[in-house]
Every structure is written in structure tokens, then in C-alpha cells.
């Protein structure tokens, strides 16, 4: 099997970030309920991989604006159903790589 190159991975990552910045209607709670990760998780992974970013800096990179601003503009109140789906989805996550 071929290996994913760093160049291709970086390009795909940038596209994912741009996509998430465009699709504000895809709320973090719904991403968590479906895939077990969200914009904040992605920002945390970037922060951990970089080693020099703060949580706020990494979240601003991923959200395209300060996370508090993004939350105020685009994040609604989670329903009990959304929270339950998130809990079930996150339980499926494997140990971190």
C-alpha cells in the first residue's frame, strides 16, 4: 500500500480546515455525534503537534476567528439528543495514535 505523503496530507488538511471554516452550519456537537471529533479536537491536535501554540491560538487557526467569537456566532445550545449521540460516538474512539 502506498503511503500518504506529507505534501498530500498538508494539502488535504488545509482543505479540511477551509471546508470547516465555510460550513458553519455543521456544528461541533453534530460533528462529535457523527465522527467523535470536532473543530476543537482538530485544534487540540494541531496544538499538540506544533508544541508552541496555545489552545486559543490553535482554535483561532482552525475556526478562522477567535473561538469565543465563533461560538457566539455559530454555536447553539446542544439538545439532550445531541449530547447523547456525542457520548456514544466518543466512546467508539480508539486510543490516540
Amino acid at each position: 500500500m502506498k503511503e500518504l505523503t506529507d505534501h498530500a496530507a498538508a494539502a488535504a488538511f488545509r482543505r479540511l480546515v477551509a471546508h470547516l471554516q465555510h460550513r458553519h452550519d455543521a456544528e461541533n456537537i453534530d460533528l462529535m455525534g457523527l465522527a467523535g471529533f470536532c473543530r476543537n479536537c482538530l485544534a487540540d491536535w494541531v496544538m499538540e503537534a506544533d508544541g508552541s501554540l496555545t489552545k486559543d491560538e490553535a482554535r483561532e487557526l482552525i475556526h478562522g476567528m477567535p473561538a469565543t467569537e465563533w461560538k457566539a456566532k455559530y454555536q447553539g445550545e446542544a439538545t439532550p439528543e445531541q449530547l447523547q449521540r456525542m457520548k456514544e460516538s466518543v466512546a467508539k474512539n480508539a486510543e490516540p495514535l
Side-chain angles (χ1 to χ4, degrees), residues 25-45:
D25 59 313
E27 290 195 42
N28 282 342
I29 190 72
D30 294 324
L31 293 170
M32 289 294 291
L34 180 63
F37 84 101
C38 68
R39 290 169 183 84
N40 294 336
C41 299
L42 191 58
D44 290 348
W45 300 339

Side-chain angles (χ1 to χ4, degrees), residues 14-61:
R14 286 185 193 96
R15 189 170 177 179
L16 171 63
V17 170
H19 182 76
L20 290 172
Q21 288 177 356
H22 173 71
R23 289 295 307 269
H24 300 297
D25 59 313
E27 290 195 42
N28 282 342
I29 190 72
D30 294 324
L31 293 170
M32 289 294 291
L34 180 63
F37 84 101
C38 68
R39 290 169 183 84
N40 294 336
C41 299
L42 191 58
D44 290 348
W45 300 339
V46 167
M47 179 187 68
E48 291 167 6
D50 180 87
S52 69
L53 294 170
T54 66
K55 183 179 280 197
D56 288 339
E57 290 169 334
R59 289 188 177 186
E60 186 169 346
L61 286 172

Side-chain angles (χ1 to χ4, degrees), residues 77-90:
E77 189 70 30
T79 67
E81 294 80 15
Q82 287 173 312
L83 292 170
Q84 182 60 36
R85 274 194 304 274
M86 180 186 75
K87 182 179 177 183
E88 291 168 3
S89 180
V90 169

